[in-house]
Amino acid sequence: MSLRTYWRFVAVIRQFLPLAITYARDRRRFLLFGRSRSVSSERRRNRAERLLQSLLTLGPTFIKLGQLLSTRPDVLPPEYVEEFSKLQDRVPPADWEQAQAVIEDELGPVDERFSEFNTDAISGASLGQVYYAEIGDEPVAVKVRRPGVEKLVESDLQVVQWLLPIILYFVDNARSFSLETLADEFATTIREEMDYEREAEMLTEIRANFADDDRVRIPPVVESHSTGRILTMEYIEGTKISDVAELDRRGVDRTALAENLERAYFQMIVEDGVYHADPHPGNLAVQDDGTLVFYDFGMSGRVDAYLQDRIIDFYMAVADQDIDAILDALIAMGTLSPEADRQVMAEVMELAIADARGEDIEQYRVQQIIQKVEDTIYEFPLRLPSNLALVLRVATVVEGVCVTLDPDFDFIDVATDFLREEGYLEESAREFVRDRAKEVGAAGRSAVRIPPKLETTLDRIDRDDFYVRADIEDSNGLLDALAARLVLGLFATGGFVSTAMLYSFSTFRATLLSLLVTLIVLFCLYRSFRERRSTRAKPQFTRQQMRQRESAGEPEDPSIEADGPISDDEAKAPEEDRWT
């Protein structure tokens, strides 16, 4: 293990130790003993802000970790998810001499491979930076991996692995599972994002899927000037998609643009199974004719056929306002536990839809529904599959961008039209008819088999030859807990009697020993009642709490997306920001 890794471990501990002590005091007021203490939403938000600053201080790896955590409401409370969603992946670029060394190691002398090369980076991010150059007369964007970032990332990943067992001590079993999968997912994601050969492959595949669509443009890869650490693409200019004033000045139809954006992502996720996973405004541009331009495919993912079908089921259920179908789709996707209280979740979904409708009862937005579900994920014992977390983030960000373009944009209406045009609704109806036909056939066969079995059962009852066996399922160990408490109670009772008798008839030392043993037994009995055991989940999220959360000032602006609100300054930012 390198000295750098140990030094990074010390730096990380120094940043996180104060917060770790604070969280430990939440569990035990005096660290080793005492009752737990409640934490208000405002206090959690303050802690999230402090933790956000720590992530920024620690650099590229932890900035990426914060961005990934912002997509995992099953791991963090809503306040942390909201704060981490503001993380900006922009840092000052490295010195040109360092970047030049990387380019020449990979491609050879800069002057020989490029006819022109601007040594001032047009954008810089945590893992890479982009330069403008020309090959012959063709303008290109050259994305260069930040010098030395590989060693830093590997050291930080090792530190994360060292810290994981300590973090797991402070969380429950459900979130322990999520954190372990998150650590593996993070290591895979950040290594993939540093692999520019993979990015080139994903970009090329997605570009091929839109080859016949003149509403979407994706810059092609210049393979002769691309390697694992260098990615050269055609340089395509355009207006930043969040620059509404400039789009209006150029006469772009913003409503049609929002619809094209949503349809493009539905095609990627539902049809193609491979998608651009970082749709914040810096990675989306618009040409004067309204063509949508995508940049930066470092974050990209795949969706398997099963999840595609469940996503279709979910959107159709939301469009129909079918609460049971929404819950069934969430269970099928692995987002909602089958053991969760459906009645409570149904109330949450009903209120979410009611809140999202607005004045027109048919107008509502999917982001507000998803956000309500996200807020409950941390409070219910749920798990968010890693393959769905990125899709959930993409849907939320895309909806935010669409609403920025058109405040009256109906996300569900466009989704329903897309599913209808592509034949998914008709196929779903045919599948429904086939399923009902199978059920009718099964019911007919059961009706034929039941009378003989019923007659046999009645004959056994008449002969007193009928027995019923019941097995008690106690997956939470409730019976073991009751037995332990009973035994401890008996020992405690016997201890009190023994102490009283020794106090009357024996020495003080024997009495003191008996009293000490009795107190230890009483403490164990007390701890057994402090451990929360239940035969079913007890959700802490109720309709009243949701209303209180709304009245407490939660943001209602749907334009808030994964990179935070689209500010005026960001809208006016130079177009070069979108390349990384």
Side-chain angles (χ1 to χ4, degrees):
M1 198 63 60
S2 67
L3 184 61
R4 173 198 286 265
T5 303
Y6 292 108
W7 175 248
R8 289 292 291 175
F9 182 77
V10 172
V12 171
I13 289 295
R14 185 176 60 184
Q15 287 290 331
F16 291 157
L17 185 59
L19 278 174
I21 294 175
T22 302
Y23 295 141
R25 290 191 61 202
D26 292 342
R27 294 168 59 92
R28 293 287 180 267
R29 188 176 296 274
F30 301 103
L31 295 182
L32 298 178
F33 61 92
R35 298 174 62 87
S36 61
R37 59 180 184 178
S38 60
V39 181
S40 65
S41 177
E42 182 180 358
R43 181 178 292 181
R44 280 200 296 264
R45 191 173 301 280
N46 291 335
R47 292 179 181 177
E49 292 174 355
R50 290 162 51 197
L51 187 55
L52 179 64
Q53 293 303 315
S54 296
L55 295 176
L56 292 171
T57 301
L58 289 170
T61 309
F62 290 90
I63 290 175
K64 289 294 180 184
L65 179 60
Q67 290 174 338
L68 183 59
L69 286 170
S70 70
T71 70
R72 299 301 299 266
D74 58 326
V75 174
L76 293 176
E79 294 83 1
Y80 286 77
V81 172
E82 184 178 339
E83 284 298 318
F84 287 178
S85 68
K86 300 176 183 178
L87 274 171
Q88 297 293 318
D89 192 18
R90 299 181 190 144
V91 296
D95 294 337
W96 161 243
E97 289 74 15
Q98 295 177 316
Q100 181 182 12
V102 175
I103 297 173
E104 294 187 346
D105 285 345
E106 296 290 319
L107 301 177
V110 174
D111 295 339
E112 296 179 7
R113 300 306 304 272
F114 299 92
S115 57
E116 181 181 338
F117 201 104
N118 189 342
T119 59
D120 294 327
I122 59 178
S123 71
S126 56
L127 300 180
Q129 51 203 45
V130 179
Y131 296 88
Y132 174 85
E134 292 182 6
I135 302 175
D137 295 329
E138 297 296 326
V140 294
V142 183
K143 187 176 180 181
V144 183
R145 188 191 299 172
R146 183 173 286 272
V149 73
E150 304 96 325
K151 294 181 180 178
L152 177 62
V153 167
E154 290 301 328
S155 295
D156 286 344
L157 290 177
Q158 184 60 59
V159 170
V160 170
Q161 290 296 325
W162 288 347
L163 291 175
L164 187 61
I166 302 174
I167 297 173
L168 295 181
Y169 175 77
F170 295 97
V171 299
D172 55 32
N173 291 334
R175 268 173 285 281
S176 293
F177 174 84
S178 295
L179 281 172
E180 288 175 325
T181 57
L182 175 66
D184 295 335
E185 176 192 354
F186 172 62
T188 301
T189 300
I190 196 169
R191 288 188 178 112
E192 287 179 347
E193 195 166 348
M194 289 192 300
D195 183 359
Y196 289 172
E197 289 181 345
R198 176 188 179 275
E199 180 177 348
E201 291 174 1
M202 299 292 278
L203 185 156
T204 302
E205 182 176 352
I206 295 174
R207 185 172 184 273
N209 293 333
F210 286 95
D212 299 327
D213 191 342
D214 57 5
R215 297 169 300 179
V216 175
R217 188 173 178 186
I218 298 172
V221 175
V222 182
E223 296 184 1
S224 61
H225 290 66
S226 299
T227 67
R229 295 198 294 169
I230 305 289
L231 178 60
T232 304
M233 303 160 284
E234 177 186 341
Y235 184 85
I236 301 177
E237 294 188 80
T239 303
K240 192 172 183 179
I241 198 169
S242 58
D243 192 350
V244 175
E246 181 64 20
L247 292 176
D248 289 340
R249 192 182 71 80
R250 295 175 181 270
V252 176
D253 186 340
R254 291 191 277 118
T255 300
L257 178 61
E259 182 175 339
N260 290 340
L261 176 62
E262 182 181 347
R263 285 176 172 272
Y265 270 95
F266 260 95
Q267 176 182 327
M268 284 188 276
I269 293 173
V270 174
E271 286 191 355
D272 302 333
V274 55
Y275 62 98
H276 175 266
D278 198 13
H280 70 76
N283 290 334
L284 300 171
V286 185
Q287 295 186 302
D288 291 346
D289 60 355
T291 301
L292 184 63
V293 183
F294 288 85
Y295 304 115
D296 190 3
F297 289 77
M299 286 186 65
S300 51
R302 296 187 181 274
V303 185
D304 58 52
Y306 176 82
L307 186 57
Q308 287 177 317
D309 292 339
R310 303 293 76 77
I311 291 173
I312 294 172
D313 293 342
F314 173 78
Y315 277 102
M316 289 193 300
V318 172
D320 295 336
Q321 298 183 27
D322 187 338
I323 302 299
D324 286 334
I326 291 175
L327 297 181
D328 290 341
L330 293 175
I331 290 173
M333 286 188 288
T335 301
L336 179 64
S337 169
E339 299 178 357
D341 192 323
R342 287 182 68 97
Q343 180 60 37
V344 174
M345 287 303 302
E347 292 179 1
V348 171
M349 300 280 33
E350 288 173 1
L351 184 56
I353 292 177
D355 289 344
R357 283 174 178 169
E359 295 182 0
D360 186 348
I361 195 170
E362 296 300 328
Q363 294 288 326
Y364 54 90
R365 300 186 180 98
V366 71
Q367 183 197 13
Q368 292 170 292
I369 296 174
I370 291 177
Q371 188 63 50
K372 291 297 191 308
V373 176
E374 284 182 348
D375 289 348
T376 65
I377 285 178
Y378 182 77
E379 295 171 346
F380 283 96
L382 307 184
R383 295 173 179 174
L384 186 61
S386 59
N387 61 340
L388 185 61
L390 208 54
V391 175
L392 187 66
R393 175 184 183 271
V394 166
T396 305
V397 177
V398 169
E399 202 267 348
V401 175
C402 290
V403 172
T404 300
L405 294 170
D406 179 6
D408 298 323
F409 185 76
D410 190 338
F411 198 86
I412 297 300
D413 186 50
V414 175
T416 305
D417 289 344
F418 176 87
L419 296 175
R420 182 182 294 110
E421 292 171 8
E422 299 300 325
Y424 291 108
L425 295 181
E426 291 77 3
E427 179 60 28
S428 177
R430 287 193 291 268
E431 185 177 350
F432 178 82
V433 172
R434 288 194 296 267
D435 290 343
R436 299 295 80 76
K438 290 180 181 179
E439 290 177 0
V440 170
R445 290 190 294 272
S446 297
V448 174
R449 291 196 302 265
I450 286 176
K453 292 184 178 181
L454 180 60
E455 183 178 3
T456 301
T457 302
L458 293 175
D459 288 342
R460 292 188 63 184
I461 294 175
D462 187 56
R463 296 194 304 268
D464 293 332
D465 189 28
F466 185 78
Y467 302 96
V468 177
R469 186 181 69 183
D471 294 328
I472 298 177
E473 183 177 348
D474 183 26
S475 59
N476 290 325
L478 184 60
L479 293 179
D480 291 340
L482 292 175
R485 291 168 186 171
L486 181 60
V487 172
L488 289 173
L490 290 175
F491 273 109
T493 303
F496 276 122
V497 173
S498 300
T499 301
M501 294 182 64
L502 290 171
Y503 180 74
S504 301
F505 303 106
S506 187
T507 63
F508 175 76
R509 182 173 299 177
T511 303
L512 185 61
L513 179 60
S514 177
L515 179 61
L516 179 61
V517 172
T518 303
L519 291 176
I520 292 174
V521 173
L522 283 174
F523 178 75
C524 294
L525 182 61
Y526 166 76
R527 287 298 301 271
S528 72
F529 281 98
R530 292 287 296 171
E531 295 175 0
R532 295 182 179 181
R533 296 179 182 269
S534 175
T535 55
R536 59 180 290 178
K538 293 184 178 179
Q540 302 169 359
F541 189 81
T542 64
R543 184 184 295 266
Q544 179 64 25
Q545 286 174 321
M546 181 183 288
R547 288 172 177 162
Q548 290 173 352
R549 182 174 294 173
E550 290 291 336
S551 62
E554 272 198 352
E556 298 179 356
D557 183 4
S559 66
I560 295 177
E561 34 94 0
D563 282 316
I566 301 174
S567 64
D568 294 338
D569 293 338
E570 185 178 358
K572 298 176 182 178
E575 61 176 300
E576 291 83 357
D577 287 346
R578 66 180 68 100
W579 283 95
T580 311

